[in-house]
Amino acid sequence: MVKPIGNKKYGLTIAILSCFIIGLFFVSFLIGRYSIHPRTVLDIILSNFIDIEAYWQDDLDLVVMQVRLPRIMLGILVGGALSVSGASYQTLFKNPMAAPDILGVSAGAGFGAALAMLWNSSWWQVQIFAFVFGLIAVTATYLIGSVFSRHEITVLILAGIVVSSFFQALLSIVKTLADTDTQLPSITFWLMGSLGKGTSESVLLMLPALGISLAVLFIFRHHIDALAAGEDVAATMGVNVQLMKTVTVCCSTLMTVSAVSICGIIGWVGMVVPHISRMLTGSSFPRLIVTSFLVGGSFLLIIDNVVRGVKGVELPLGVLTALVGTPVFVILLSRVKKGWS
Amino acid sequence: MLKVQGLSFSYHRDKEVLKDISFQLDRHDILCLLGPNGTGKTTMLRCLLSLNKIKRGSIEIDGVDLTKASARERAEMVAYVPQASEMAFPYESFEVVLMGRIAHLPTGGNPTARDKAIAYEVMERLGITHLIHKDFNRMSGGEKQMILVARALVQQSRILVMDEPTANLDYSNQVKILQVIRDLAEEGYAILMASHFPNHAFLACNKVALMRDGVIIAQGNPEDIVTTENLTRLYQTPVCVTEAVLKFTRSVTKVCVPVMV
């Protein structure tokens, strides 16, 4: 009879990761300038659902519900979104180095969003601009890459660097044009990457784009998985390759963009997390997408906890993810380089 | 079963890569497509798999026009065994085999116990269940080729298209693959394989087509077609078809050898 191939181990890993992220979620409430007793945190959260008499001060309620909760949620959602989008790009391009920041999507989205901010646009306009330019960036990277070589891993990455630099340059122009008193500081700070702007509103605004993208990627997970065997081979197995490529790029870009337009450019998460996830539950995309979300959410939440925990200064999040991400990436590279070649 | 008529294909408007190709493939057939490098063998296979859009002619399977079928329908009729290559990431070989079930999965659905049973049975039949948990990228060329054959078989189409299934394999693995191909044909599969080894036509195939510059210059059964004259013309280099007597089995088999002059 058929052995359940690795299903048990996968289930167990997902269970452990889920427990971990739930635990982390609650622990994260304890970190910050105000020290709040865990019992109080729990009661404040519960008081939204059941009747608990408030024995705490009103401002504690504000800190937990209006400041920490959205920020923690945002950490999980943004970390998960960037990681799943990295995993999708990697599987789609058959390229272990692919990630939203590497492919120029982040820079493109950043430019689009900054441009919209320059015109004092509404939140929706910022989103749309970021999405359009993110899509333009990844398309440009893909086209430039395939002009030179469809098979060389490094060519796509070089194309990404070129496109990234191009949009960084455009971004600099936007910064020069920005009003130095009002617009420039906010654009600059936003670009450094921070979950500090997390409000309940921004979480709610991010959810639809993220939810739809995740759902679509999940529905087509087996078809996207087949792309890792090569586009032609996938086509012979019954996959509509052109449709799957479009769907994957659009969903990944939409997820990246919804993260970038709220939290700025947070690098390295999208590249490193999928590799950690592959070590845990294998390369198969249907599993990778779930694992990446959980690992990515935990990863960014932990890093943001460090940001919030360090007294005195608020370190930019993007700087910390780079500090952690780069050495982890080098270790991964040396460990699994054989499996890539 | 498979009927190709007057097929032409070109990448650029004025230069035809394949010209007026016709052949037929029935159940139990193994057709070996022979020809020098760059002559259009792979292009021909790609046309059959709808990876290339044909310019003229028709490809029919049991009367159904293959060029009008959706990707899914086509996958249920024709399966492809590519040359062994790497997966982009370390996949377990069972995951690779199970990918062949994609055309049978409902939208958004996971492979069921039945899909897994089919994949396992195929691997059992090919004698490769010991490879189930192995990393595909770390397997030998022969093992990889077997996995790719298994992936094509779980697709459960009746026609198999193979691109040089014995490339880069040692003798023992070549024979293993050819044996598998012969067994499959006996079961009723129709197999089309491109090859660089005319000997394989004698070892495994009942039909052969010689292709040069996008034209089939001769086709028929190997005994009649794979001759010294034809091969010499095909490869534009002296090739000798002779008989080898196997002392152990007292049987006679035909062999082809290139001759250096």
Side-chain angles (χ1 to χ4, degrees):
Chain A
M1 211 20 235
V2 190
K3 284 180 276 177
I5 308 298
N7 270 344
K8 266 188 196 156
K9 196 194 153 214
Y10 171 66
L12 186 68
T13 312
I14 293 302
I16 293 173
L17 286 174
S18 304
C19 292
F20 181 74
I21 202 167
I22 291 169
L24 191 65
F25 173 82
F26 287 110
V27 169
S28 303
F29 279 99
L30 309 178
I31 297 164
R33 206 173 301 151
Y34 287 92
S35 56
I36 310 174
H37 193 270
R39 173 86 220 175
T40 318
V41 170
L42 207 58
D43 284 341
I44 292 176
I45 297 173
L46 283 177
S47 70
N48 287 283
F49 304 103
I50 52 173
D51 210 18
I52 296 179
E53 197 172 334
Y55 56 83
W56 53 85
Q57 293 162 319
D58 280 351
D59 56 344
L60 279 190
D61 193 282
L62 203 70
V63 167
V64 170
M65 294 310 296
Q66 299 299 320
V67 180
R68 291 189 188 172
L69 178 65
R71 185 161 180 160
I72 290 165
M73 291 296 293
L74 208 58
I76 293 174
L77 296 181
V78 168
L82 290 174
S83 305
V84 172
S85 110
S88 310
Y89 285 130
Q90 288 177 4
T91 304
L92 173 69
F93 293 122
K94 302 206 312 169
N95 193 325
M97 309 270 272
D101 40 330
I102 305 285
L103 294 172
V105 184
S106 301
F111 164 71
L115 193 64
M117 286 177 188
L118 190 65
W119 295 326
N120 297 317
S121 313
S122 73
W123 189 86
W124 277 110
Q125 285 163 321
V126 171
Q127 284 278 304
I128 290 166
F129 264 75
F131 180 64
V132 168
F133 280 99
L135 216 49
I136 290 175
V138 69
T139 312
T141 300
Y142 175 69
L143 290 179
I144 294 172
S146 43
V147 163
F148 294 105
S149 163
R150 278 176 182 272
H151 306 292
E152 287 288 326
I153 281 172
T154 41
V155 170
L156 187 73
I157 304 310
L158 290 176
I161 292 173
V162 170
V163 171
S164 243
S165 306
F166 180 77
F167 281 106
Q168 297 281 5
L170 289 181
L171 196 56
S172 303
I173 296 177
V174 172
K175 281 196 206 167
T176 332
L177 297 175
D179 185 287
T180 43
D181 292 327
T182 55
Q183 291 171 329
L184 187 59
S186 73
I187 291 180
T188 308
F189 188 70
W190 161 77
L191 278 176
M192 280 199 293
S194 162
L195 296 175
K197 291 217 299 188
T199 58
S200 326
E201 201 195 6
S202 60
V203 172
L204 288 177
L205 285 170
M206 189 183 170
L207 274 176
L210 182 62
I212 291 169
S213 305
L214 280 177
V216 172
L217 286 176
F218 191 76
I219 287 172
F220 293 115
R221 63 200 181 283
H222 289 288
H223 289 242
I224 297 168
D225 195 34
L227 293 175
E231 287 176 17
D232 288 346
V233 173
T236 67
M237 290 193 288
V239 175
N240 186 336
V241 172
Q242 209 48 52
L243 179 69
M244 280 311 111
K245 278 165 77 174
T246 314
V247 162
T248 312
V249 166
C250 284
C251 289
S252 313
T253 306
L254 186 58
M255 278 194 292
T256 306
V257 162
S258 60
V260 167
S261 56
I262 295 172
C263 307
I265 297 176
I266 299 169
W268 292 95
V269 179
M271 187 205 261
V272 170
V273 169
H275 290 295
I276 299 173
S277 308
R278 269 189 205 95
M279 285 179 166
L280 293 173
T281 56
S283 305
S284 165
F285 188 69
R287 293 174 177 191
L288 187 62
I289 195 172
V290 179
T291 315
S292 290
F293 189 86
L294 294 174
V295 174
S298 311
F299 180 81
L300 199 62
L301 191 50
I302 291 173
I303 293 199
D304 191 50
N305 284 345
V306 174
V307 169
R308 291 194 293 137
V310 175
K311 303 262 188 266
V313 282
E314 167 124 2
L315 292 165
L317 187 66
V319 172
L320 269 186
T321 55
L323 276 181
V324 177
T326 41
V328 170
F329 182 71
V330 173
I331 294 167
L332 291 174
L333 191 67
S334 62
R335 274 193 60 174
V336 288
K337 65 175 182 234
K338 265 203 164 169
W340 292 355
S341 63
Chain B
M1 195 174 202
L2 171 72
K3 204 170 173 186
V4 175
Q5 270 180 318
L7 184 153
S8 295
F9 172 78
S10 56
Y11 288 105
H12 303 289
R13 201 175 295 163
D14 42 349
K15 197 174 169 283
E16 285 199 330
V17 185
L18 300 174
K19 285 165 230 152
D20 196 23
I21 290 188
S22 303
F23 63 88
Q24 203 173 328
L25 196 65
D26 294 306
R27 281 166 63 97
H28 307 294
D29 272 353
I30 306 174
L31 171 63
C32 185
L33 190 59
L34 292 172
N37 290 332
T39 200
K41 294 193 300 290
T42 303
T43 312
M44 173 70 234
L45 300 190
R46 289 177 61 88
C47 286
L48 285 183
L49 296 160
S50 301
L51 296 172
N52 288 343
K53 213 173 154 58
I54 62 171
K55 205 173 144 195
R56 273 196 308 278
S58 68
I59 306 172
E60 283 181 1
I61 294 176
D62 294 331
V64 179
D65 186 351
L66 191 67
T67 53
K68 292 203 175 73
S70 72
R72 208 188 185 109
E73 289 163 349
R74 192 179 58 245
E76 286 175 5
M77 293 189 272
V78 185
Y80 176 50
V81 182
Q83 287 187 38
S85 64
E86 299 263 304
M87 295 288 286
F89 301 100
Y91 276 79
E92 273 185 18
S93 65
F94 191 76
E95 292 172 332
V96 176
V97 174
L98 205 53
M99 272 185 193
R101 293 300 297 169
I102 282 178
H104 299 269
L105 299 182
T107 306
N110 269 326
T112 60
R114 188 174 159 267
D115 291 312
K116 289 181 184 174
I118 290 168
Y120 190 83
E121 274 162 26
V122 165
M123 292 181 84
E124 208 166 32
R125 195 169 83 192
L126 297 179
I128 49 172
T129 46
H130 61 287
L131 298 175
I132 267 185
H133 292 296
K134 265 201 173 182
D135 177 354
F136 179 79
N137 285 347
R138 293 187 184 210
M139 295 194 301
S140 73
E143 291 172 333
K144 273 184 187 168
Q145 198 65 55
M146 280 295 191
I147 295 293
L148 296 181
V149 171
R151 186 175 70 189
L153 289 182
V154 301
Q155 216 166 303
Q156 293 185 321
S157 55
R158 302 312 290 169
I159 298 174
L160 293 181
V161 173
M162 302 184 163
D163 194 4
E164 296 182 33
T166 54
N168 304 318
L169 299 187
D170 60 27
Y171 275 149
S172 122
N173 279 310
Q174 286 186 16
V175 169
K176 255 190 213 163
I177 290 282
L178 290 176
Q179 189 62 51
V180 165
I181 292 173
R182 244 165 53 176
D183 293 346
L184 291 171
E186 241 158 66
E187 277 175 43
Y189 281 93
I191 295 162
L192 173 67
M193 58 183 256
S195 178
H196 275 303
F197 303 99
N199 281 323
H200 291 352
F202 293 123
L203 286 173
C205 306
N206 69 330
K207 281 184 177 178
V208 64
L210 309 184
M211 192 172 182
R212 183 167 181 90
D213 299 329
V215 182
I216 292 185
I217 57 173
Q219 60 175 323
N221 71 54
E223 290 289 325
D224 303 333
I225 300 299
V226 184
T227 59
T228 300
E229 298 74 42
N230 277 347
L231 288 189
T232 303
R233 187 153 70 99
L234 181 68
Y235 292 108
Q236 305 265 299
T237 190
V239 180
C240 180
V241 178
T242 180
E243 288 184 342
V245 181
L246 300 177
K247 281 184 182 156
F248 302 106
T249 57
R250 292 202 189 132
S251 62
V252 177
T253 180
K254 278 198 173 181
V255 290
C256 319
V257 270
V259 184
M260 302 257 287
V261 271

